[in-house]
Amino acid sequence: MTNTILIEQRGPIEILSLNRPDKLNTMNEDMIFELQDYFRELQGREDVRVVLFRAEGRAFCAGLDIGAWKNDGSRGQIQHIWRTQRNIATVMQLMRQCPQPVIALAQGAACGGGFSLLLASDVRFGAPDLKMNAAYIKIGLGGCDMGSSYFLPRLVGSSLASELILTGRFIHAERAEKTGLISEVVDQDKLLSTGLALADEMLDTAPMGLRLSKDALNRNIDAQSFEAAMAIEDRQQVMLSMTEDSREAAKAFFAKRKPDYKDR
């Protein structure tokens, strides 16, 4: 570990921070592999229920640290670029696969791969100076990269997604909030408290119910039909209704008290 990321645990909430502020948190190999390890391990960590994803310094992530991905000569150029591409893309895949909701708290620049890290999160809050772009098309590549062509149309519709992807132009915090790309614009010094407040609300839910709700959202955004989406929801609700936590929630409701969930 080279401390390109920092982890702080506050009970069932974990705060993940990108930690290359002097490089605007651009992605080097160490950061990508540390992010892979972190999100992969979340699959089996029931002690962590919600993740806050933030960054040190004045930028969330300004994209790829191009000079930090050296070819040692053991691979051809295409193989080297493919390895880099897949390693970064794997982080976004692991973010979607982890059962914990990921709340992103972003300031400054979120460009290219940094933009995709935000897109792969479940909820996004942005500081007033947040600016995001699909920067890849600006460097002679396509604008569709690291999940942008998947996430953006689903989040903001095809017109705005096409505008951003086909030009690489920036979308700033105010417009991002109006279009639903971020939930709210928040002063930078209040980003963390805003994220923690939302995480606390999520913690008021049954643990398995929260995990399966993220799972259903992921699956049903691509559901083949309304009926297919309902089938997933029906199966989840029947399964969850048989848990001890469901019975505890009913008792707490009638007793007008907070449920004591055991994740059983």
Side-chain angles (χ1 to χ4, degrees), residues 228-245:
M230 291 286 285
I232 290 175
E233 293 178 351
D234 291 345
R235 283 159 176 76
Q236 284 196 357
Q237 295 296 60
V238 170
M239 183 167 58
L240 290 167
S241 71
M242 302 301 291
T243 62
E244 292 182 22
D245 279 346

Side-chain angles (χ1 to χ4, degrees), residues 7-260:
I7 310 296
E8 177 190 350
Q9 189 160 11
R10 299 191 184 185
I13 300 170
E14 205 151 75
I15 302 171
L16 165 66
S17 300
L18 302 180
N19 188 39
R20 299 186 76 216
D22 57 323
K23 298 291 186 180
L24 300 180
N25 294 308
T26 49
M27 299 170 173
N28 63 1
E29 281 194 340
D30 289 338
M31 176 184 283
I32 289 304
F33 287 126
E34 289 182 27
L35 286 172
Q36 279 190 22
D37 290 344
Y38 176 76
F39 284 110
R40 187 176 287 113
E41 289 171 1
L42 282 178
Q43 291 278 353
R45 293 190 59 196
E46 294 183 355
D47 61 307
V48 179
R49 293 192 57 204
V50 184
V51 174
L52 301 187
F53 192 7
R54 59 175 301 279
E56 297 292 329
R58 60 189 178 91
F60 179 75
C61 174
L64 186 68
D65 187 347
I66 298 175
W69 294 77
K70 300 295 186 182
N71 188 349
D72 61 8
S74 63
R75 301 176 180 85
Q77 187 66 2
I78 291 178
Q79 289 81 0
H80 170 66
I81 295 172
W82 174 252
R83 176 178 177 271
T84 302
Q85 184 81 16
R86 286 308 310 152
N87 279 327
I88 299 173
T90 295
V91 174
M92 288 70 179
Q93 291 174 306
L94 291 169
M95 289 176 66
R96 299 313 307 151
Q97 292 165 6
C98 75
Q100 297 86 350
V102 178
I103 302 171
L105 312 170
Q107 75 282 355
C111 307
F115 188 20
S116 290
L117 289 174
L118 294 184
L119 297 177
S121 301
D122 297 289
V123 182
R124 290 157 294 278
F125 292 102
D129 67 344
L130 175 63
K131 59 179 184 178
M132 302 163 280
N133 76 328
Y136 336 95
I137 203 168
K138 292 288 194 180
I139 56 172
L141 302 175
C144 300
D145 195 12
M146 305 300 167
S148 63
S149 61
Y150 179 86
F151 292 120
L152 267 176
R154 288 165 171 77
L155 290 169
V156 301
S158 62
S159 181
L160 180 53
S162 297
E163 174 191 330
L164 298 177
I165 286 173
L166 299 178
T167 65
R169 66 166 51 174
F170 281 100
I171 181 169
H172 294 78
E174 183 178 359
R175 189 183 186 197
E177 181 185 32
K178 289 178 179 177
T179 57
L181 184 54
I182 63 175
S183 293
E184 186 179 355
V185 178
V186 180
D187 288 342
Q188 185 168 342
D189 60 356
K190 296 181 180 177
L191 276 177
L192 183 57
S193 61
T194 299
L196 287 168
L198 181 60
D200 283 338
E201 286 191 59
M202 292 180 179
L203 295 180
D204 286 336
T205 67
M208 192 172 183
L210 185 63
R211 294 194 296 268
L212 291 187
S213 293
K214 174 173 176 173
D215 181 76
L217 280 167
N218 280 341
R219 296 178 187 279
N220 285 345
I221 199 167
D222 293 322
Q224 295 178 333
S225 65
F226 173 66
E227 288 73 17
M230 291 286 285
I232 290 175
E233 293 178 351
D234 291 345
R235 283 159 176 76
Q236 284 196 357
Q237 295 296 60
V238 170
M239 183 167 58
L240 290 167
S241 71
M242 302 301 291
T243 62
E244 292 182 22
D245 279 346
S246 177
R247 292 189 287 275
E248 164 62 13
K251 292 176 184 177
F253 176 80
F254 288 111
K256 294 182 172 54
R257 61 172 173 80
K258 190 173 181 177
D260 181 18

